Structures are given as C-alpha cells and as structure tokens.
Amino acid sequence: GIQVEQSPPDLILQEGANSTLRCNFSDSVNNLQWFHQNPWGQLINLFYIPSGTKQNGRLSATTVATERYSLLYISSSQTTDSGVYFCAVEGGPGGSYIPTFGRGTSLIVHP
Amino acid sequence: DAGVIQSPRHEVTEMGQEVTLRCKPISGHNSLFWYRQTMMRGLELLIYFNNNVPIDDSGMPEDRFSAKMPNASFSTLKIQPSEPRDSAVYFCASSPAAEQYFGPGTRLTVT
C-alpha cells in the first residue's frame, strides 16, 4: 500500500515562530487531509487538500501531487497549536480509498 | 450538528470480558471508519463501511474483533474476549465523500 512519511517527528518552538511540516507519500493520491490532535486527544480537521493551496487564518497548506508531498505552514505559532499533526492520504496502486495516516509531527509551543 | 458521537468515552474492564463501543456518525455521511490509536502503532484503520456495508476489514486484528452497522446512524465495535493488549483509544470517523470527521474517541483499558 501507499507509504506516508512525516517530518520532522518532533518540533519545539517559541511562541510567535513560524514552522513548516512535511508529508511525503509514495504514490499518487486521491485525497489528502491534515489533522491536528490536541493535547486532549481530539482529532480536528485542518485541511482537505489533494492538490493546490489553501489558507485558514495562521495555517496554510500546499500539496504538490505530481511531486508527492504536502506542506503545512504554521505562522506566528501559539501555545494552543501544540499537539500532533497528522497527514492522511488515500491512493496508491489501484486508487485505493482506504486512508493511511503518517506517524505525525509532535509540536510543542512554549510561551 | 453534534458531530460524530462515541460512547462510552472511557471503559475499564477485566481481561476476558466483552466490550462494546458505539458510534453515531454525522447525519448524511455515507462512510464510517473505526480506528485504533496506540503509542506503538499510531493510528490504524480497523474497518471501513460504505452505505452500511463493510468494504474493508483487513485491519481487524483477529476474530475477537467484530463490527456492525445495522443502519446509517449507528455502528458498534465489539471485542470478545478482551485482552490487555487491546488497551488503546478507539476512534470512529464518518465522511460524506472524501473528508473524514472524527469522534472524541473511547479510551479502553483492559486489566
């Protein structure tokens, strides 16, 4: 099946800093989503972005499907941004609609 | 909309007991997913329903696990008999087409 790698695995920032999280995938994708898992364990949709660029406030995401990666940008980070960021894709040989998650990037934002 | 509803939120049980986890998807969503999350294995897809029909159950660990979706508004995941290694957070997610929306999860502890 399709492989998903996220980097970096861990990230520590001071409040106000910017960051870029990366998701690489091994095959063509039908769908791609970014999620934030907050410290209470809740998984929150950030972006549905199989291709192109989207922005929502301080967050934006870009997927370059032809080069098999997606980036999540966090600007002016806040302590509430702490948590784990997951990339999930659907695709691969045969165009599977079964979602595969990466291992996530754990982000800690210090005040 | 209330979002995806899961119950119970926490379950502590003894090894050998039957455990039933429940999920109410968002109204109008035709796909439903059950996931398990552990530190060791991350987020794993257990089973995927589309229009109440199980499409892929290849992630179900073994015969002790079973899942049903008797109608569009209700699904159960049953573990019988439970074992300590089943301890994890179990998430239910629903989708209208491509984007997934997660419930709050059920934290299961098997002693």
Side-chain angles (χ1 to χ4, degrees), chain A residues 31 33 35 37 41-43 45 47-48 86 88 90 97-99 101 103, chain B residues 33 35 37 39-43 45 48 56 91 98-102:
Chain A
N31 301 315
Q33 277 188 267
F35 295 90
Q37 188 166 35
Q42 188 175 4
L43 278 154
N45 278 12
F47 294 103
Y48 168 70
F86 290 101
E90 296 172 16
Y97 287 92
I98 304 302
F101 277 74
R103 294 288 291 179
Chain B
F33 306 82
Y35 290 88
Q37 186 177 36
M39 287 295 291
M40 289 293 291
R41 301 173 67 92
L43 267 163
L45 177 67
Y48 156 48
D56 190 304
F91 287 100
E99 287 190 74
Q100 292 184 72
Y101 297 84
F102 279 77

PDB file of all heavy atoms in Angstrom, chain A residues 31 33 35 37 41-43 45 47-48 86 88 90 97-99 101 103, chain B residues 33 35 37 39-43 45 48 56 91 98-102:
ATOM      1  N   ASN A  31      -6.987  11.601  -2.251  1.00  0.00           N
ATOM      2  CA  ASN A  31      -7.357  12.526  -1.188  1.00  0.00           C
ATOM      3  C   ASN A  31      -6.191  12.727  -0.239  1.00  0.00           C
ATOM      4  O   ASN A  31      -5.368  11.819  -0.063  1.00  0.00           O
ATOM      5  CB  ASN A  31      -8.541  11.978  -0.379  1.00  0.00           C
ATOM      6  CG  ASN A  31      -9.766  11.745  -1.236  1.00  0.00           C
ATOM      7  OD1 ASN A  31     -10.132  12.576  -2.053  1.00  0.00           O
ATOM      8  ND2 ASN A  31     -10.387  10.606  -1.064  1.00  0.00           N
ATOM      9  N   GLN A  33      -5.613  14.770   3.704  1.00  0.00           N
ATOM     10  CA  GLN A  33      -6.111  15.624   4.768  1.00  0.00           C
ATOM     11  C   GLN A  33      -5.009  15.856   5.786  1.00  0.00           C
ATOM     12  O   GLN A  33      -4.191  14.969   6.034  1.00  0.00           O
ATOM     13  CB  GLN A  33      -7.296  14.972   5.506  1.00  0.00           C
ATOM     14  CG  GLN A  33      -8.642  15.160   4.839  1.00  0.00           C
ATOM     15  CD  GLN A  33      -9.775  14.669   5.715  1.00  0.00           C
ATOM     16  OE1 GLN A  33     -10.206  13.528   5.624  1.00  0.00           O
ATOM     17  NE2 GLN A  33     -10.271  15.546   6.559  1.00  0.00           N
ATOM     18  N   PHE A  35      -4.685  16.845   9.887  1.00  0.00           N
ATOM     19  CA  PHE A  35      -5.415  16.864  11.154  1.00  0.00           C
ATOM     20  C   PHE A  35      -4.498  17.382  12.250  1.00  0.00           C
ATOM     21  O   PHE A  35      -3.278  17.187  12.213  1.00  0.00           O
ATOM     22  CB  PHE A  35      -5.866  15.453  11.560  1.00  0.00           C
ATOM     23  CG  PHE A  35      -6.862  14.818  10.647  1.00  0.00           C
ATOM     24  CD1 PHE A  35      -6.443  14.047   9.579  1.00  0.00           C
ATOM     25  CD2 PHE A  35      -8.220  14.970  10.868  1.00  0.00           C
ATOM     26  CE1 PHE A  35      -7.353  13.435   8.740  1.00  0.00           C
ATOM     27  CE2 PHE A  35      -9.148  14.358  10.030  1.00  0.00           C
ATOM     28  CZ  PHE A  35      -8.712  13.589   8.969  1.00  0.00           C
ATOM     29  N   GLN A  37      -4.193  16.787  16.343  1.00  0.00           N
ATOM     30  CA  GLN A  37      -4.663  16.099  17.545  1.00  0.00           C
ATOM     31  C   GLN A  37      -4.218  16.926  18.744  1.00  0.00           C
ATOM     32  O   GLN A  37      -3.012  17.021  19.018  1.00  0.00           O
ATOM     33  CB  GLN A  37      -4.130  14.675  17.646  1.00  0.00           C
ATOM     34  CG  GLN A  37      -4.769  13.894  18.795  1.00  0.00           C
ATOM     35  CD  GLN A  37      -4.509  12.412  18.719  1.00  0.00           C
ATOM     36  OE1 GLN A  37      -3.448  11.967  18.290  1.00  0.00           O
ATOM     37  NE2 GLN A  37      -5.487  11.616  19.128  1.00  0.00           N
ATOM     38  N   GLY A  41      -6.509  14.828  22.994  1.00  0.00           N
ATOM     39  CA  GLY A  41      -6.702  13.649  22.155  1.00  0.00           C
ATOM     40  C   GLY A  41      -7.680  13.813  21.011  1.00  0.00           C
ATOM     41  O   GLY A  41      -7.844  12.900  20.204  1.00  0.00           O
ATOM     42  N   GLN A  42      -8.325  14.962  20.927  1.00  0.00           N
ATOM     43  CA  GLN A  42      -9.312  15.171  19.882  1.00  0.00           C
ATOM     44  C   GLN A  42      -8.631  15.418  18.542  1.00  0.00           C
ATOM     45  O   GLN A  42      -7.673  16.189  18.458  1.00  0.00           O
ATOM     46  CB  GLN A  42     -10.193  16.364  20.233  1.00  0.00           C
ATOM     47  CG  GLN A  42     -11.370  16.549  19.309  1.00  0.00           C
ATOM     48  CD  GLN A  42     -12.280  17.665  19.755  1.00  0.00           C
ATOM     49  OE1 GLN A  42     -11.987  18.365  20.726  1.00  0.00           O
ATOM     50  NE2 GLN A  42     -13.376  17.852  19.067  1.00  0.00           N
ATOM     51  N   LEU A  43      -9.129  14.748  17.490  1.00  0.00           N
ATOM     52  CA  LEU A  43      -8.605  14.913  16.126  1.00  0.00           C
ATOM     53  C   LEU A  43      -9.470  15.922  15.382  1.00  0.00           C
ATOM     54  O   LEU A  43     -10.665  15.696  15.182  1.00  0.00           O
ATOM     55  CB  LEU A  43      -8.611  13.571  15.395  1.00  0.00           C
ATOM     56  CG  LEU A  43      -7.425  12.662  15.699  1.00  0.00           C
ATOM     57  CD1 LEU A  43      -7.786  11.212  15.477  1.00  0.00           C
ATOM     58  CD2 LEU A  43      -6.230  13.048  14.828  1.00  0.00           C
ATOM     59  N   ASN A  45     -10.098  18.360  11.999  1.00  0.00           N
ATOM     60  CA  ASN A  45      -9.790  18.618  10.583  1.00  0.00           C
ATOM     61  C   ASN A  45      -9.127  19.973  10.418  1.00  0.00           C
ATOM     62  O   ASN A  45      -9.629  20.970  10.924  1.00  0.00           O
ATOM     63  CB  ASN A  45     -11.086  18.673   9.780  1.00  0.00           C
ATOM     64  CG  ASN A  45     -11.578  17.322   9.408  1.00  0.00           C
ATOM     65  OD1 ASN A  45     -11.095  16.326   9.918  1.00  0.00           O
ATOM     66  ND2 ASN A  45     -12.535  17.271   8.523  1.00  0.00           N
ATOM     67  N   PHE A  47      -7.285  20.698   7.002  1.00  0.00           N
ATOM     68  CA  PHE A  47      -7.439  20.919   5.562  1.00  0.00           C
ATOM     69  C   PHE A  47      -7.735  19.605   4.844  1.00  0.00           C
ATOM     70  O   PHE A  47      -7.188  18.573   5.192  1.00  0.00           O
ATOM     71  CB  PHE A  47      -6.143  21.499   4.943  1.00  0.00           C
ATOM     72  CG  PHE A  47      -5.783  22.866   5.417  1.00  0.00           C
ATOM     73  CD1 PHE A  47      -4.779  23.050   6.347  1.00  0.00           C
ATOM     74  CD2 PHE A  47      -6.426  23.981   4.910  1.00  0.00           C
ATOM     75  CE1 PHE A  47      -4.427  24.307   6.793  1.00  0.00           C
ATOM     76  CE2 PHE A  47      -6.088  25.259   5.338  1.00  0.00           C
ATOM     77  CZ  PHE A  47      -5.093  25.409   6.283  1.00  0.00           C
ATOM     78  N   TYR A  48      -8.608  19.717   3.852  1.00  0.00           N
ATOM     79  CA  TYR A  48      -8.756  18.675   2.845  1.00  0.00           C
ATOM     80  C   TYR A  48      -8.097  19.237   1.595  1.00  0.00           C
ATOM     81  O   TYR A  48      -8.578  20.230   1.051  1.00  0.00           O
ATOM     82  CB  TYR A  48     -10.223  18.355   2.599  1.00  0.00           C
ATOM     83  CG  TYR A  48     -10.446  17.498   1.373  1.00  0.00           C
ATOM     84  CD1 TYR A  48     -10.042  16.172   1.367  1.00  0.00           C
ATOM     85  CD2 TYR A  48     -11.027  18.018   0.229  1.00  0.00           C
ATOM     86  CE1 TYR A  48     -10.226  15.382   0.252  1.00  0.00           C
ATOM     87  CE2 TYR A  48     -11.209  17.238  -0.885  1.00  0.00           C
ATOM     88  CZ  TYR A  48     -10.814  15.921  -0.876  1.00  0.00           C
ATOM     89  OH  TYR A  48     -10.978  15.141  -1.991  1.00  0.00           O
ATOM     90  N   PHE A  86      -1.168  15.276  11.919  1.00  0.00           N
ATOM     91  CA  PHE A  86      -1.179  14.081  11.076  1.00  0.00           C
ATOM     92  C   PHE A  86      -1.561  14.435   9.650  1.00  0.00           C
ATOM     93  O   PHE A  86      -2.432  15.278   9.409  1.00  0.00           O
ATOM     94  CB  PHE A  86      -2.189  13.058  11.591  1.00  0.00           C
ATOM     95  CG  PHE A  86      -1.818  12.391  12.880  1.00  0.00           C
ATOM     96  CD1 PHE A  86      -2.388  12.799  14.075  1.00  0.00           C
ATOM     97  CD2 PHE A  86      -0.909  11.346  12.898  1.00  0.00           C
ATOM     98  CE1 PHE A  86      -2.052  12.184  15.269  1.00  0.00           C
ATOM     99  CE2 PHE A  86      -0.567  10.724  14.085  1.00  0.00           C
ATOM    100  CZ  PHE A  86      -1.140  11.151  15.269  1.00  0.00           C
ATOM    101  N   ALA A  88      -3.032  12.388   6.302  1.00  0.00           N
ATOM    102  CA  ALA A  88      -3.686  11.137   5.917  1.00  0.00           C
ATOM    103  C   ALA A  88      -3.958  11.178   4.419  1.00  0.00           C
ATOM    104  O   ALA A  88      -4.453  12.188   3.912  1.00  0.00           O
ATOM    105  CB  ALA A  88      -4.997  10.957   6.681  1.00  0.00           C
ATOM    106  N   GLU A  90      -5.242   8.948   0.738  1.00  0.00           N
ATOM    107  CA  GLU A  90      -5.899   7.819   0.091  1.00  0.00           C
ATOM    108  C   GLU A  90      -5.368   7.769  -1.329  1.00  0.00           C
ATOM    109  O   GLU A  90      -5.296   8.800  -1.996  1.00  0.00           O
ATOM    110  CB  GLU A  90      -7.410   7.996   0.073  1.00  0.00           C
ATOM    111  CG  GLU A  90      -8.046   8.031   1.441  1.00  0.00           C
ATOM    112  CD  GLU A  90      -9.516   8.397   1.399  1.00  0.00           C
ATOM    113  OE1 GLU A  90     -10.117   8.325   0.308  1.00  0.00           O
ATOM    114  OE2 GLU A  90     -10.060   8.764   2.450  1.00  0.00           O
ATOM    115  N   TYR A  97      -9.318   3.824  -1.744  1.00  0.00           N
ATOM    116  CA  TYR A  97      -9.989   4.821  -0.928  1.00  0.00           C
ATOM    117  C   TYR A  97      -9.861   4.488   0.553  1.00  0.00           C
ATOM    118  O   TYR A  97     -10.640   4.982   1.368  1.00  0.00           O
ATOM    119  CB  TYR A  97     -11.451   4.942  -1.355  1.00  0.00           C
ATOM    120  CG  TYR A  97     -11.577   5.655  -2.680  1.00  0.00           C
ATOM    121  CD1 TYR A  97     -11.600   4.939  -3.866  1.00  0.00           C
ATOM    122  CD2 TYR A  97     -11.614   7.047  -2.737  1.00  0.00           C
ATOM    123  CE1 TYR A  97     -11.684   5.600  -5.080  1.00  0.00           C
ATOM    124  CE2 TYR A  97     -11.692   7.702  -3.944  1.00  0.00           C
ATOM    125  CZ  TYR A  97     -11.728   6.974  -5.118  1.00  0.00           C
ATOM    126  OH  TYR A  97     -11.800   7.625  -6.316  1.00  0.00           O
ATOM    127  N   ILE A  98      -8.912   3.656   0.903  1.00  0.00           N
ATOM    128  CA  ILE A  98      -8.636   3.339   2.302  1.00  0.00           C
ATOM    129  C   ILE A  98      -7.609   4.340   2.820  1.00  0.00           C
ATOM    130  O   ILE A  98      -6.513   4.447   2.272  1.00  0.00           O
ATOM    131  CB  ILE A  98      -8.095   1.906   2.432  1.00  0.00           C
ATOM    132  CG1 ILE A  98      -9.068   0.914   1.806  1.00  0.00           C
ATOM    133  CG2 ILE A  98      -7.800   1.581   3.890  1.00  0.00           C
ATOM    134  CD1 ILE A  98     -10.446   0.946   2.394  1.00  0.00           C
ATOM    135  N   PRO A  99      -7.919   5.095   3.883  1.00  0.00           N
ATOM    136  CA  PRO A  99      -6.986   6.111   4.386  1.00  0.00           C
ATOM    137  C   PRO A  99      -5.770   5.504   5.078  1.00  0.00           C
ATOM    138  O   PRO A  99      -5.892   4.528   5.808  1.00  0.00           O
ATOM    139  CB  PRO A  99      -7.819   6.916   5.379  1.00  0.00           C
ATOM    140  CG  PRO A  99      -9.140   6.282   5.476  1.00  0.00           C
ATOM    141  CD  PRO A  99      -9.189   5.074   4.616  1.00  0.00           C
ATOM    142  N   PHE A 101      -2.537   6.874   7.478  1.00  0.00           N
ATOM    143  CA  PHE A 101      -2.020   8.004   8.254  1.00  0.00           C
ATOM    144  C   PHE A 101      -0.506   7.915   8.375  1.00  0.00           C
ATOM    145  O   PHE A 101       0.065   6.817   8.508  1.00  0.00           O
ATOM    146  CB  PHE A 101      -2.618   7.993   9.657  1.00  0.00           C
ATOM    147  CG  PHE A 101      -3.978   8.620   9.741  1.00  0.00           C
ATOM    148  CD1 PHE A 101      -5.091   7.954   9.252  1.00  0.00           C
ATOM    149  CD2 PHE A 101      -4.146   9.873  10.314  1.00  0.00           C
ATOM    150  CE1 PHE A 101      -6.349   8.527   9.323  1.00  0.00           C
ATOM    151  CE2 PHE A 101      -5.396  10.457  10.384  1.00  0.00           C
ATOM    152  CZ  PHE A 101      -6.503   9.782   9.896  1.00  0.00           C
ATOM    153  N   ARG A 103       2.911   9.006  10.786  1.00  0.00           N
ATOM    154  CA  ARG A 103       3.163   8.855  12.224  1.00  0.00           C
ATOM    155  C   ARG A 103       3.025  10.180  12.963  1.00  0.00           C
ATOM    156  O   ARG A 103       3.015  10.215  14.186  1.00  0.00           O
ATOM    157  CB  ARG A 103       4.544   8.273  12.441  1.00  0.00           C
ATOM    158  CG  ARG A 103       4.700   6.862  11.930  1.00  0.00           C
ATOM    159  CD  ARG A 103       3.972   5.853  12.771  1.00  0.00           C
ATOM    160  NE  ARG A 103       4.588   5.694  14.074  1.00  0.00           N
ATOM    161  CZ  ARG A 103       4.126   4.875  15.014  1.00  0.00           C
ATOM    162  NH1 ARG A 103       3.040   4.173  14.801  1.00  0.00           N
ATOM    163  NH2 ARG A 103       4.726   4.788  16.169  1.00  0.00           N
TER     164      ARG A 103
ATOM    165  N   PHE B  33     -15.701   4.841   9.582  1.00  0.00           N
ATOM    166  CA  PHE B  33     -14.407   4.197   9.811  1.00  0.00           C
ATOM    167  C   PHE B  33     -14.222   3.970  11.313  1.00  0.00           C
ATOM    168  O   PHE B  33     -14.565   4.827  12.123  1.00  0.00           O
ATOM    169  CB  PHE B  33     -13.268   5.109   9.341  1.00  0.00           C
ATOM    170  CG  PHE B  33     -13.387   5.582   7.909  1.00  0.00           C
ATOM    171  CD1 PHE B  33     -14.186   6.666   7.597  1.00  0.00           C
ATOM    172  CD2 PHE B  33     -12.676   4.963   6.899  1.00  0.00           C
ATOM    173  CE1 PHE B  33     -14.288   7.123   6.288  1.00  0.00           C
ATOM    174  CE2 PHE B  33     -12.767   5.414   5.589  1.00  0.00           C
ATOM    175  CZ  PHE B  33     -13.585   6.491   5.281  1.00  0.00           C
ATOM    176  N   TYR B  35     -11.023   3.275  13.914  1.00  0.00           N
ATOM    177  CA  TYR B  35      -9.573   3.303  14.050  1.00  0.00           C
ATOM    178  C   TYR B  35      -9.181   2.930  15.478  1.00  0.00           C
ATOM    179  O   TYR B  35      -9.954   3.110  16.425  1.00  0.00           O
ATOM    180  CB  TYR B  35      -9.013   4.714  13.798  1.00  0.00           C
ATOM    181  CG  TYR B  35      -9.085   5.220  12.387  1.00  0.00           C
ATOM    182  CD1 TYR B  35     -10.204   5.897  11.925  1.00  0.00           C
ATOM    183  CD2 TYR B  35      -8.004   5.060  11.522  1.00  0.00           C
ATOM    184  CE1 TYR B  35     -10.254   6.393  10.630  1.00  0.00           C
ATOM    185  CE2 TYR B  35      -8.045   5.555  10.226  1.00  0.00           C
ATOM    186  CZ  TYR B  35      -9.177   6.224   9.791  1.00  0.00           C
ATOM    187  OH  TYR B  35      -9.218   6.709   8.508  1.00  0.00           O
ATOM    188  N   GLN B  37      -5.798   3.730  18.109  1.00  0.00           N
ATOM    189  CA  GLN B  37      -4.571   4.503  18.257  1.00  0.00           C
ATOM    190  C   GLN B  37      -3.802   4.044  19.480  1.00  0.00           C
ATOM    191  O   GLN B  37      -4.334   4.029  20.593  1.00  0.00           O
ATOM    192  CB  GLN B  37      -4.850   6.001  18.364  1.00  0.00           C
ATOM    193  CG  GLN B  37      -3.573   6.852  18.370  1.00  0.00           C
ATOM    194  CD  GLN B  37      -3.857   8.346  18.415  1.00  0.00           C
ATOM    195  OE1 GLN B  37      -4.801   8.804  19.049  1.00  0.00           O
ATOM    196  NE2 GLN B  37      -3.035   9.133  17.715  1.00  0.00           N
ATOM    197  N   MET B  39       0.480   4.167  21.169  1.00  0.00           N
ATOM    198  CA  MET B  39       1.777   4.810  21.028  1.00  0.00           C
ATOM    199  C   MET B  39       2.661   4.012  20.075  1.00  0.00           C
ATOM    200  O   MET B  39       3.394   4.575  19.278  1.00  0.00           O
ATOM    201  CB  MET B  39       2.446   4.936  22.394  1.00  0.00           C
ATOM    202  CG  MET B  39       1.831   5.982  23.285  1.00  0.00           C
ATOM    203  SD  MET B  39       2.040   7.644  22.629  1.00  0.00           S
ATOM    204  CE  MET B  39       3.789   7.853  22.811  1.00  0.00           C
ATOM    205  N   MET B  40       2.584   2.687  20.191  1.00  0.00           N
ATOM    206  CA  MET B  40       3.489   1.842  19.408  1.00  0.00           C
ATOM    207  C   MET B  40       3.140   1.842  17.922  1.00  0.00           C
ATOM    208  O   MET B  40       4.026   1.880  17.065  1.00  0.00           O
ATOM    209  CB  MET B  40       3.446   0.413  19.932  1.00  0.00           C
ATOM    210  CG  MET B  40       4.092   0.231  21.282  1.00  0.00           C
ATOM    211  SD  MET B  40       5.871   0.499  21.193  1.00  0.00           S
ATOM    212  CE  MET B  40       6.364  -0.943  20.242  1.00  0.00           C
ATOM    213  N   ARG B  41       1.846   1.801  17.606  1.00  0.00           N
ATOM    214  CA  ARG B  41       1.434   1.562  16.225  1.00  0.00           C
ATOM    215  C   ARG B  41       0.767   2.764  15.576  1.00  0.00           C
ATOM    216  O   ARG B  41       0.411   2.698  14.396  1.00  0.00           O
ATOM    217  CB  ARG B  41       0.515   0.343  16.173  1.00  0.00           C
ATOM    218  CG  ARG B  41       1.158  -0.935  16.711  1.00  0.00           C
ATOM    219  CD  ARG B  41       0.148  -2.071  16.789  1.00  0.00           C
ATOM    220  NE  ARG B  41      -0.283  -2.499  15.465  1.00  0.00           N
ATOM    221  CZ  ARG B  41       0.302  -3.478  14.778  1.00  0.00           C
ATOM    222  NH1 ARG B  41       1.341  -4.112  15.279  1.00  0.00           N
ATOM    223  NH2 ARG B  41      -0.151  -3.815  13.582  1.00  0.00           N
ATOM    224  N   GLY B  42       0.589   3.833  16.331  1.00  0.00           N
ATOM    225  CA  GLY B  42      -0.048   5.006  15.758  1.00  0.00           C
ATOM    226  C   GLY B  42      -1.525   4.765  15.486  1.00  0.00           C
ATOM    227  O   GLY B  42      -2.176   3.985  16.174  1.00  0.00           O
ATOM    228  N   LEU B  43      -2.046   5.446  14.466  1.00  0.00           N
ATOM    229  CA  LEU B  43      -3.452   5.316  14.072  1.00  0.00           C
ATOM    230  C   LEU B  43      -3.591   4.207  13.038  1.00  0.00           C
ATOM    231  O   LEU B  43      -3.022   4.287  11.958  1.00  0.00           O
ATOM    232  CB  LEU B  43      -3.948   6.622  13.474  1.00  0.00           C
ATOM    233  CG  LEU B  43      -4.625   7.597  14.409  1.00  0.00           C
ATOM    234  CD1 LEU B  43      -4.691   8.979  13.785  1.00  0.00           C
ATOM    235  CD2 LEU B  43      -6.027   7.133  14.767  1.00  0.00           C
ATOM    236  N   LEU B  45      -6.325   1.843  10.806  1.00  0.00           N
ATOM    237  CA  LEU B  45      -7.689   1.634  10.358  1.00  0.00           C
ATOM    238  C   LEU B  45      -8.083   0.187  10.620  1.00  0.00           C
ATOM    239  O   LEU B  45      -7.375  -0.734  10.210  1.00  0.00           O
ATOM    240  CB  LEU B  45      -7.814   1.940   8.875  1.00  0.00           C
ATOM    241  CG  LEU B  45      -9.193   1.702   8.258  1.00  0.00           C
ATOM    242  CD1 LEU B  45     -10.210   2.681   8.831  1.00  0.00           C
ATOM    243  CD2 LEU B  45      -9.136   1.812   6.747  1.00  0.00           C
ATOM    244  N   TYR B  48     -13.847  -0.287   7.509  1.00  0.00           N
ATOM    245  CA  TYR B  48     -14.433   0.821   6.761  1.00  0.00           C
ATOM    246  C   TYR B  48     -15.770   0.344   6.192  1.00  0.00           C
ATOM    247  O   TYR B  48     -15.828  -0.695   5.543  1.00  0.00           O
ATOM    248  CB  TYR B  48     -13.451   1.246   5.665  1.00  0.00           C
ATOM    249  CG  TYR B  48     -13.997   1.948   4.457  1.00  0.00           C
ATOM    250  CD1 TYR B  48     -14.875   3.022   4.578  1.00  0.00           C
ATOM    251  CD2 TYR B  48     -13.591   1.572   3.180  1.00  0.00           C
ATOM    252  CE1 TYR B  48     -15.341   3.687   3.459  1.00  0.00           C
ATOM    253  CE2 TYR B  48     -14.063   2.225   2.056  1.00  0.00           C
ATOM    254  CZ  TYR B  48     -14.926   3.284   2.199  1.00  0.00           C
ATOM    255  OH  TYR B  48     -15.391   3.938   1.089  1.00  0.00           O
ATOM    256  N   ASP B  56     -13.865  -2.888   3.765  1.00  0.00           N
ATOM    257  CA  ASP B  56     -12.522  -3.385   4.026  1.00  0.00           C
ATOM    258  C   ASP B  56     -12.371  -3.611   5.516  1.00  0.00           C
ATOM    259  O   ASP B  56     -12.471  -2.668   6.290  1.00  0.00           O
ATOM    260  CB  ASP B  56     -11.483  -2.381   3.521  1.00  0.00           C
ATOM    261  CG  ASP B  56     -10.066  -2.941   3.554  1.00  0.00           C
ATOM    262  OD1 ASP B  56      -9.605  -3.386   4.625  1.00  0.00           O
ATOM    263  OD2 ASP B  56      -9.405  -2.932   2.504  1.00  0.00           O
ATOM    264  N   PHE B  91     -11.212   5.279  17.814  1.00  0.00           N
ATOM    265  CA  PHE B  91     -11.896   6.394  17.196  1.00  0.00           C
ATOM    266  C   PHE B  91     -12.858   5.896  16.125  1.00  0.00           C
ATOM    267  O   PHE B  91     -12.573   4.950  15.393  1.00  0.00           O
ATOM    268  CB  PHE B  91     -10.892   7.343  16.504  1.00  0.00           C
ATOM    269  CG  PHE B  91     -10.080   8.177  17.450  1.00  0.00           C
ATOM    270  CD1 PHE B  91      -8.777   7.815  17.769  1.00  0.00           C
ATOM    271  CD2 PHE B  91     -10.605   9.335  17.994  1.00  0.00           C
ATOM    272  CE1 PHE B  91      -8.016   8.594  18.626  1.00  0.00           C
ATOM    273  CE2 PHE B  91      -9.850  10.120  18.850  1.00  0.00           C
ATOM    274  CZ  PHE B  91      -8.557   9.743  19.172  1.00  0.00           C
ATOM    275  N   ALA B  98     -15.126  12.549   0.889  1.00  0.00           N
ATOM    276  CA  ALA B  98     -13.678  12.411   0.994  1.00  0.00           C
ATOM    277  C   ALA B  98     -13.154  12.830   2.367  1.00  0.00           C
ATOM    278  O   ALA B  98     -12.289  12.171   2.928  1.00  0.00           O
ATOM    279  CB  ALA B  98     -12.998  13.228  -0.092  1.00  0.00           C
ATOM    280  N   GLU B  99     -13.663  13.942   2.915  1.00  0.00           N
ATOM    281  CA  GLU B  99     -13.171  14.413   4.203  1.00  0.00           C
ATOM    282  C   GLU B  99     -13.715  13.562   5.334  1.00  0.00           C
ATOM    283  O   GLU B  99     -14.898  13.246   5.367  1.00  0.00           O
ATOM    284  CB  GLU B  99     -13.621  15.858   4.442  1.00  0.00           C
ATOM    285  CG  GLU B  99     -12.899  16.869   3.606  1.00  0.00           C
ATOM    286  CD  GLU B  99     -13.223  18.283   4.057  1.00  0.00           C
ATOM    287  OE1 GLU B  99     -12.724  18.697   5.116  1.00  0.00           O
ATOM    288  OE2 GLU B  99     -13.987  18.946   3.348  1.00  0.00           O
ATOM    289  N   GLN B 100     -12.822  13.227   6.270  1.00  0.00           N
ATOM    290  CA  GLN B 100     -13.229  12.464   7.447  1.00  0.00           C
ATOM    291  C   GLN B 100     -13.393  13.400   8.638  1.00  0.00           C
ATOM    292  O   GLN B 100     -12.611  14.332   8.815  1.00  0.00           O
ATOM    293  CB  GLN B 100     -12.170  11.424   7.808  1.00  0.00           C
ATOM    294  CG  GLN B 100     -12.022  10.314   6.807  1.00  0.00           C
ATOM    295  CD  GLN B 100     -11.037   9.288   7.302  1.00  0.00           C
ATOM    296  OE1 GLN B 100     -11.327   8.529   8.227  1.00  0.00           O
ATOM    297  NE2 GLN B 100      -9.864   9.270   6.708  1.00  0.00           N
ATOM    298  N   TYR B 101     -14.388  13.085   9.478  1.00  0.00           N
ATOM    299  CA  TYR B 101     -14.637  13.821  10.702  1.00  0.00           C
ATOM    300  C   TYR B 101     -14.625  12.822  11.851  1.00  0.00           C
ATOM    301  O   TYR B 101     -15.372  11.837  11.829  1.00  0.00           O
ATOM    302  CB  TYR B 101     -15.988  14.549  10.628  1.00  0.00           C
ATOM    303  CG  TYR B 101     -16.026  15.589   9.540  1.00  0.00           C
ATOM    304  CD1 TYR B 101     -16.318  15.239   8.224  1.00  0.00           C
ATOM    305  CD2 TYR B 101     -15.746  16.928   9.826  1.00  0.00           C
ATOM    306  CE1 TYR B 101     -16.328  16.189   7.215  1.00  0.00           C
ATOM    307  CE2 TYR B 101     -15.759  17.884   8.823  1.00  0.00           C
ATOM    308  CZ  TYR B 101     -16.051  17.515   7.523  1.00  0.00           C
ATOM    309  OH  TYR B 101     -16.057  18.450   6.519  1.00  0.00           O
ATOM    310  N   PHE B 102     -13.770  13.091  12.832  1.00  0.00           N
ATOM    311  CA  PHE B 102     -13.546  12.135  13.906  1.00  0.00           C
ATOM    312  C   PHE B 102     -14.418  12.426  15.122  1.00  0.00           C
ATOM    313  O   PHE B 102     -14.693  13.579  15.453  1.00  0.00           O
ATOM    314  CB  PHE B 102     -12.083  12.159  14.348  1.00  0.00           C
ATOM    315  CG  PHE B 102     -11.186  11.354  13.458  1.00  0.00           C
ATOM    316  CD1 PHE B 102     -10.782  11.832  12.225  1.00  0.00           C
ATOM    317  CD2 PHE B 102     -10.754  10.092  13.848  1.00  0.00           C
ATOM    318  CE1 PHE B 102      -9.974  11.082  11.397  1.00  0.00           C
ATOM    319  CE2 PHE B 102      -9.929   9.337  13.027  1.00  0.00           C
ATOM    320  CZ  PHE B 102      -9.541   9.829  11.794  1.00  0.00           C
TER     321      PHE B 102
END
